[in-house]
Amino acid sequence: MASVVGITAIALLAQHVQAVNNGLARTPQMGWDNWNSFGCDVSEDLLQGTARLIVDYGLKDLGYEYVVLDDCWSNGRDASANNSLIVDTEKFPRGMAAVADDIHELGLKFGMYSSAGVYTCGRFAGSLGYEEVDANSWAEWGVDYLKYDNCYNSGEAGTQKLSHDRYNTMAKALNATGRPILYSLCNWGEDYPWNWGPTIANSWRITGDVTDFYDRPDPRCPCDGPDAWDCSLPGFHCSLLNIINKASFVVSKAEPGGWNDLDMLEVGNGGMSDAEYKTQFSVWAAVKSPLIMGNDLRIVKPQDLAILSNAAVIAVNQDPLGSSAARRWYYETDDVDQYGKGSIQMWAGSLNSTTGGEYSDMVVLLINGNNSNMTMNATLVEVFADSGGAISDQAKIAWEVRDLWANRMSNEEAQAIIDASSASGNYTSGFNATRVGGENRYNATAKSYSEGLSDADELLLGNVTTTVQPMGTITAEVERHGIAMFRLRAVPTGSLRKRTEL
Amino acid sequence: MASVVGITAIALLAQHVQAVNNGLARTPQMGWDNWNSFGCDVSEDLLQGTARLIVDYGLKDLGYEYVVLDDCWSNGRDASANNSLIVDTEKFPRGMAAVADDIHELGLKFGMYSSAGVYTCGRFAGSLGYEEVDANSWAEWGVDYLKYDNCYNSGEAGTQKLSHDRYNTMAKALNATGRPILYSLCNWGEDYPWNWGPTIANSWRITGDVTDFYDRPDPRCPCDGPDAWDCSLPGFHCSLLNIINKASFVVSKAEPGGWNDLDMLEVGNGGMSDAEYKTQFSVWAAVKSPLIMGNDLRIVKPQDLAILSNAAVIAVNQDPLGSSAARRWYYETDDVDQYGKGSIQMWAGSLNSTTGGEYSDMVVLLINGNNSNMTMNATLVEVFADSGGAISDQAKIAWEVRDLWANRMSNEEAQAIIDASSASGNYTSGFNATRVGGENRYNATAKSYSEGLSDADELLLGNVTTTVQPMGTITAEVERHGIAMFRLRAVPTGSLRKRTEL
Amino acid sequence: MASVVGITAIALLAQHVQAVNNGLARTPQMGWDNWNSFGCDVSEDLLQGTARLIVDYGLKDLGYEYVVLDDCWSNGRDASANNSLIVDTEKFPRGMAAVADDIHELGLKFGMYSSAGVYTCGRFAGSLGYEEVDANSWAEWGVDYLKYDNCYNSGEAGTQKLSHDRYNTMAKALNATGRPILYSLCNWGEDYPWNWGPTIANSWRITGDVTDFYDRPDPRCPCDGPDAWDCSLPGFHCSLLNIINKASFVVSKAEPGGWNDLDMLEVGNGGMSDAEYKTQFSVWAAVKSPLIMGNDLRIVKPQDLAILSNAAVIAVNQDPLGSSAARRWYYETDDVDQYGKGSIQMWAGSLNSTTGGEYSDMVVLLINGNNSNMTMNATLVEVFADSGGAISDQAKIAWEVRDLWANRMSNEEAQAIIDASSASGNYTSGFNATRVGGENRYNATAKSYSEGLSDADELLLGNVTTTVQPMGTITAEVERHGIAMFRLRAVPTGSLRKRTEL
Amino acid sequence: MASVVGITAIALLAQHVQAVNNGLARTPQMGWDNWNSFGCDVSEDLLQGTARLIVDYGLKDLGYEYVVLDDCWSNGRDASANNSLIVDTEKFPRGMAAVADDIHELGLKFGMYSSAGVYTCGRFAGSLGYEEVDANSWAEWGVDYLKYDNCYNSGEAGTQKLSHDRYNTMAKALNATGRPILYSLCNWGEDYPWNWGPTIANSWRITGDVTDFYDRPDPRCPCDGPDAWDCSLPGFHCSLLNIINKASFVVSKAEPGGWNDLDMLEVGNGGMSDAEYKTQFSVWAAVKSPLIMGNDLRIVKPQDLAILSNAAVIAVNQDPLGSSAARRWYYETDDVDQYGKGSIQMWAGSLNSTTGGEYSDMVVLLINGNNSNMTMNATLVEVFADSGGAISDQAKIAWEVRDLWANRMSNEEAQAIIDASSASGNYTSGFNATRVGGENRYNATAKSYSEGLSDADELLLGNVTTTVQPMGTITAEVERHGIAMFRLRAVPTGSLRKRTEL
């Protein structure tokens, strides 16, 4: 038996206990992590500067909250101090508490990294066997988030029980500190963490590491195709489509408080086209993955800032229903690129109603993995295939179709924001909270996404493109390797009674 | 070495010890469960009303016995009362014992649900670690049946031993209550429950959750094809053909007292055609799956009631031999539907002899998964492939071919039954046991299927369509996505000696 | 690193310790088991009568030694006698010791059956948890052989360790009795018994149960193709080619004292053609499987007796080198039968030298799985691919090619043997050891296969058909679904020095 | 998260702790093992003679250091001496310490063999349960290296934990001796040793045993294709391309102190062509496999000595960066050989910079698995796909392309070396350290590879063939089953700033 969808889901939310009991991540976490751009090249300056840019660029007010320091920050353990981890003082001369304080002062939260192994992936000291002492260090320093990796785990993997128990040790240690620390479990999908992750963690990676390619195959990320979820060599260099495919199998495991993590965003790292980055951002949002930026904000390009700033897409991610979109269909095609790949797929998922009516809103994604631009279609019957029966009640009514990318910020506007930031080109010079074009931008600090959606705030709803009639078809021109993303809102009718009223 | 079939099987039945020692489910359980139609929308009224309709519509007298309340009935645990589960008194204001009493008064039995995990699938309190206290509650309330799910199991899965031990804890707790409680193990086929289920449970689910589609692929039910039985992500949204395929591998594990469970019936839920629903009912019956209705009986359509009321098909399910039909052949074809699927298959299986002769009766199913109606054939050699040798003795004699769907109740008759029920459109108004057309309907309360088959009751044997000659071929016109289902009865001859007399 | 082959293997044999320390099965066991023909229909008379026929038909003198009583012989446990198994006295009125005595008097050995589970496969009492008491019973009764099955194992499977430990418990119990009892491990290849079987057992089944079909696919034996060895649902109804394919992967695990068991012979059970039965007997012999007859000897046909009596083929099985043949090549073809199957394959393996020269003899099998008769070829380079280098020294010399089926007993001679047996048609009437045509038949009681091969006894070497020249090709006409089986003997030459002399 | 590559990798090396703490194998071990040529035919003379030839032929000065005695050297355990292993005094009349002394006197190191099982693969006494006593014996004898096999492991395999724990027992025993003993873990890739090997061993085999064929399929090495890394039947008779394919998935696991072991070299064993042997040597070097010769040095052919003596290729293997090349692309083709195989692939990997510039050198391999010679191409974009972005900075500059096989020693020179050795044809006659052509040969004893690379020693850099321009393509004519192997060195430019300076 699986989770309940659609009409009854909201009622359920009010009743059930929360799986992981730290109260965090009721919607997917948002933030930034240094790894994808900087690897081990970390420092206090980098974190502080980036945190300021998150504020300056208005990203904080869009919901990006956690600034996460990844691997390579430590320098062994201190045998004289309970074997606690020693901070690398070359990189962090004032210690970690000071870093945390700075970040907190900006209204942001601070994340750190370790591994449930003898070493971290970069072969610094790991936390296996030191869970309590390390959790206490982080709590003392004011850490709000732990990304917990899987390298060098000494054979304590290969069954759900071994992995669960190993990660649960840290879950308990974090809870025991008394400080709410978001627990981001990162074992790359080994041993089916979607099964046991929800009772111990706020998110769990479901794949090997993402790479900055749309569909390039790489033997270092060997699992693909119809069995891709069953992967004992998750690897790295996983392409966008590889990860999207893997996500398709486990979407139902996402729920408030616990999310499938598709890995950090590559938006802005330069390896993909604008269409491809839009695809990543859209799918990550719709499947309720954490949205953790992975680019160098100091050199962000306007088109990338525009993607990361799309409140209408983020509102899908932060929807209070917390239900992932699911793949409705997938076809391989002959229109292949240089890697021999061609495919199209359609995803759809329930969203909280913004109409006040009985029917949930719906998010629809048309993903063009072909090598050419093309016209894509999705019928209402396909979109609402989960809603009961061959032809659901929902397919029999009309829907407003709103393009969630229509109101994307222009490059000019994005460039103006970048230019206005005191940090531009000189990110350490000072703090500047000025936002450009504020009135046209959603401010989730002032009004949460939940409130905004309740209010049917136009900034969150995208642009109406058309109305699709009962039993109709949604159509979009979609770029090569691009995506169309729509919010469907029921057109109120008096003629249909609720099913439970029949 | 596998179980014995055919001639020697009945003798064996008399000798062997019973695998699971609660004495229940000597034939597959039959009943109704609210999940497929109502999800979490449960109440005392729903159960009571449905129970009455089961009586009114004559379904009780056809063998449907268990009224099963699925997930979402509890409201936490009572720390002051041994941590026992608290009934949600909004839904069940008089408590569960009262519900059980009402159901028992109707001559029916009462089933409940929990999960061998921290939470149920709907995230109510689960029974992992509370097996004894919960079993005691259920016994006290008068519960006769437990559906025991698999969500949130904290990594206690992934090996046969972990799953066996976890489910065995509840088996022992149920047995310890002293009350006979049918144990319906529901772990979706993880860790090969057909291996270890038979010694602890009365049935075990073999797949992820069924959906109301004939062959629609869905990545949330990812296992398909020749390895489909080996599935560590059973998922949900599994189509009819997906489940039938999975069943084909493990049919031999069914035996009196322990059954492969193909999940609840979708008949009447509106997503499939009449031909498709007949297919589900026929195959479920022939493989000895529990027959648990999953539709809303308050709005049942006459054609669906007619399917659910086919005693000749039910008699195959309730056959005392307890031997599942097996797939004899399967071919994929080019005559595909909108999902790219086309296939034909033939199943056959031994039934208790109704002729008094030496040879078992045989059930034969011709399943047309093509996109068009077609004429299908099965030779006696194929049908009796299990019976020894390239050409079995059985293939060398003539057989009466009886169409088990020929005497299906007409829609008019079904509608009359519905209309006559006081509950029609108003299911709480009162109890009315009147049955329409009684003399043409089999009453298993009055005469068990076992007795009826011994008597060769015509209501159980279907309609003779033809006699197939020695070495002959059975032929049928089969609808797109439909099925032909025959009972073969040996035509007595004096010319063939038993093999053991040679 | 794998076992040593070819020239150095004999030297190795003299040195290494024996894996399993009961001293039995230095060559694969031979005998008869009732299951394939009789299932649960067992009795003292059946065993006694069959044992006599084994003697009468000269099968004992060909090496068939163990008479194995399979499942369904017990009747619960005796709580007053240490919970020991109770013999079913309807079937065995004089008890088992008397049965053993009778069999021993005939110069044969007695095998019995149990399961490493709660029940046997036929759901009689199993030995799990009763290993010591049961081993003691068998030792007391004079049992020489245990076939130990895998049904109802309560989840004690799924890892090599669980299966090893479960089966090792019985291994220890058998050893502790002090009686040499050949231990035939029958877990159908689950958990890779070829890895851990050799240190605890004399043979281990590598597949699900064989069926009496050459290549009929059946979903109840689902594993096939290139991953067929990795099978967690071994099933039953496995065809000959399915099992041969599975054997191809693990042939190297056979060694004196421990053998891959391909399941019992179907020869004579009527489902396959003569060519197909020859194929089973030839391959089973060449891969060093135990040769356990599975037919009803009371009604044996002369052509089947002729197959079972081919000493030249049996000599390959009983070769003292104990090295399995291996598949050299396999091709699927378009010449398919009614099941859509067509393939050809060639196997070869080292045998003890019968020339006294430096080079091992070689067995070569050409297996025609096509739907037509065909001419098949194998080059010496292919045959000796294991012997070092692209072109081994062996490929550069000439070889005598001896057809091991050329001297097959005629049907007339076989019929005469059958007719001469007092047991023919009346198997309980008395003991008659007369053998017909004795001087043309090999008598392994008088001269062991090892001695016979040392002596180059013509009865063991087949008929010379030709000599293949250096770098030459062996050619044979092979029937549809048939086999050609040759022994290659090096033609002595003075021109080639040993490699180690170079 | 995976290991860091490229620019930041060197900095990382200086910081991280070493995974396995014996200080050995900072670059992959090099040496010789007797198994591939001699199997069990071992003796003191063989080892001593071979050791002398390693010196005489200049192989020692190229880095070949370990002389490894494989299986079949023992003769049971001595119950009177703590159950320690008894040396077979027929083969080693002076005992092992004397053998070690002789080898040490030659400036070489001594390796031995055992198995983490009840028996070794040749069925001599295994070390499972005797880890401490055996480690102490080896330390006493002066052993420097242990190859530790996996046969007869009594079911202590099948999960990472079981295998890790079993092998870790020996790791601890070796460490406890106080003698640095290189630990070569040989479990054929079972249970993903690349995950847990790095914290306990210096290398771990990743596949079944290599055979002396380029691409011949063999069912005894059944895992191939896209899932080949997930192999629970590693087997033996694995072809070169089979192993190269398996390596492609796990290359990232190699790191200083711990290496993926692709098994011993077959170079010189006669089964493959010169082109094929060059392929093995090149790929083994580039993926940082240990380079363990497996041929009979007493009869080495000049062309094989020339392969084994290519310092420019060895320098890739011994590169201080310790980063494996990775497969960039792989295509199957229609130009197939007699086994039906045709493919081309390109690998590339980072090397320590020999230019002193910011960019790592790069090794590029073009592998022609087609059945014909062909022109192969690789673009800089493909070669530098890991270096960030769709088009990395590295692809935008020019590179010197150096052919690492261009300066291969001529057959005449190699023959002169062989002839000059007093051991030629008479390997026991005495020790002769004379090297022929010394000034043209690299002497790693005098100058380590690390130093030589720092110095940009021409003997290590290959021959400049061309310069590839920015965004250009590398082209080579590659023989059937051959390889082209290049070192790319950045052409210094002033126009590009480092990325971190932007």
Side-chain angles (χ1 to χ4, degrees), chain B residues 353-368:
Chain B
S353 171
T354 59
T355 63
E358 80 178 290
Y359 292 121
S360 300
D361 286 15
M362 204 74 182
V363 61
V364 177
L365 300 95
L366 292 162
I367 302 175
N368 179 12

Side-chain angles (χ1 to χ4, degrees), chain A residues 35 70 119 121-124 147 149 152 154-158 162 188 209 213 216 219-220 222 232-233 236-237 270-271, chain D residues 1-2 4 12 15-19 160-161 164 192 196 198-199 229-230 248-249 252 255 326 328 385-386 389-390:
Chain A
W35 183 260
D70 213 284
Y119 306 113
C121 296
R123 281 192 273 167
F124 294 83
K147 174 181 173 181
D149 218 331
Y152 300 104
S154 293
E156 299 289 333
L162 281 171
W188 324 316
D209 279 19
F213 285 93
R216 181 180 174 271
R220 294 169 295 185
S232 55
L233 184 57
F236 64 148
H237 292 282
Chain D
M1 183 175 302
V4 180
L12 177 60
Q15 290 182 340
H16 68 226
V17 292
Q18 189 184 354
Q160 295 182 63
K161 183 165 181 55
H164 169 273
Y192 322 127
W196 46 266
T199 46
W229 50 271
D230 200 0
S248 72
F249 305 114
S252 71
E255 64 191 27
R328 296 292 186 240
D386 273 7

Side-chain angles (χ1 to χ4, degrees), chain B residues 330-342:
Chain B
Y330 170 81
Y331 299 100
E332 298 191 347
T333 73
D334 292 333
D335 184 14
V336 300
D337 61 15
Q338 74 264 43
Y339 303 119
K341 306 267 187 177

Side-chain angles (χ1 to χ4, degrees), chain A residues 1-5 8 12-13 15-21 26 159-162 164-165 192 194-196 198-199 226-227 229-230 245 248-257 326-329 331 382 385-386 388-391 499-500 502, chain B residues 35 37-41 70-72 88 91 113 118-119 121-125 147 149 151-159 162 186 188 190 205 209 212-213 216-220 222-223 231-233 236-237 264 269-272 299 338-339:
Chain A
M1 180 175 303
S3 61
V4 181
V5 293
T8 60
L12 177 61
L13 275 176
Q15 291 181 338
H16 68 228
V17 293
Q18 188 184 356
V20 56
N21 61 5
R26 302 301 303 172
T159 67
Q160 295 182 63
K161 183 165 180 55
L162 281 171
H164 168 272
D165 290 357
Y192 322 127
W194 40 84
N195 283 343
W196 45 267
T199 46
D227 297 323
W229 50 271
D230 200 1
N245 181 52
S248 72
F249 306 114
V250 297
V251 289
S252 71
K253 308 297 181 166
E255 63 190 27
R327 190 159 76 187
R328 295 292 185 241
W329 46 253
Y331 298 100
E382 293 165 350
D386 273 7
I391 300 174
R499 188 178 181 195
T500 49
L502 294 175
Chain B
W35 184 260
S37 290
F38 297 92
C40 279
D41 191 14
D70 212 284
D71 201 355
C72 313
D88 183 329
K91 296 169 178 167
Y113 164 100
V118 178
Y119 306 114
C121 296
R123 281 193 274 167
F124 294 83
K147 174 181 174 181
D149 217 329
C151 285
Y152 299 104
N153 59 37
S154 293
E156 300 287 334
T159 68
L162 281 170
C186 176
W188 324 315
E190 281 191 2
R205 283 275 300 281
D209 279 18
D212 198 9
F213 285 93
R216 181 180 174 271
D218 194 302
R220 293 169 295 184
C223 303
C231 188
S232 55
L233 184 57
F236 64 147
H237 292 282
M264 299 175 288
N269 283 332
M272 289 192 266
I299 55 168
Q338 74 264 43
Y339 303 119

Side-chain angles (χ1 to χ4, degrees), chain A residues 35 37-38 40-41 70-72 88 91 113 118-119 121-125 147 149 151-159 162 186 188 190 205 209 212-213 216-220 222-223 231-233 236-237 264 269-272 299 338-339, chain D residues 1-5 8 12-13 15-20 26 159-162 164-165 192 194-196 198-199 226-227 229-230 245 248-257 326-329 331 382 385-386 388-391 499-500 502:
Chain A
W35 183 260
S37 290
F38 298 91
C40 279
D41 190 14
D70 213 284
D71 201 354
C72 312
D88 183 329
K91 296 168 178 168
Y113 165 100
V118 178
Y119 306 113
C121 296
R123 281 192 273 167
F124 294 83
K147 174 181 173 181
D149 218 331
C151 284
Y152 300 104
N153 59 37
S154 293
E156 299 289 333
T159 67
L162 281 171
C186 176
W188 324 316
E190 281 190 3
R205 283 274 300 281
D209 279 19
D212 199 8
F213 285 93
R216 181 180 174 271
D218 194 302
R220 294 169 295 185
C223 303
C231 189
S232 55
L233 184 57
F236 64 148
H237 292 282
M264 300 175 287
N269 284 331
M272 289 192 266
I299 54 169
Q338 73 264 42
Y339 303 119
Chain D
M1 183 175 302
S3 61
V4 180
V5 294
T8 60
L12 177 60
L13 275 177
Q15 290 182 340
H16 68 226
V17 292
Q18 189 184 354
V20 56
R26 302 302 303 171
T159 67
Q160 295 182 63
K161 183 165 181 55
L162 280 171
H164 169 273
D165 290 357
Y192 322 127
W194 41 83
N195 283 344
W196 46 266
T199 46
D227 298 322
W229 50 271
D230 200 0
N245 181 52
S248 72
F249 305 114
V250 298
V251 289
S252 71
K253 308 296 182 167
E255 64 191 27
R327 190 160 76 188
R328 296 292 186 240
W329 47 253
Y331 298 100
E382 293 164 351
D386 273 7
I391 301 174
R499 187 178 183 195
T500 50
L502 293 175

Side-chain angles (χ1 to χ4, degrees), chain D residues 29-66:
Chain D
Q29 65 262 35
M30 298 175 63
W32 177 88
D33 179 292
N34 64 269
W35 184 259
N36 282 1
S37 290
F38 296 92
C40 279
D41 191 12
V42 294
S43 68
E44 176 181 327
D45 284 356
L46 175 65
L47 296 187
Q48 196 176 59
T50 300
R52 288 175 181 174
L53 290 174
I54 289 170
V55 177
D56 285 6
Y57 293 162
L59 295 166
K60 173 186 170 230
D61 288 341
L62 284 162
Y64 297 95
E65 183 177 18
Y66 292 96

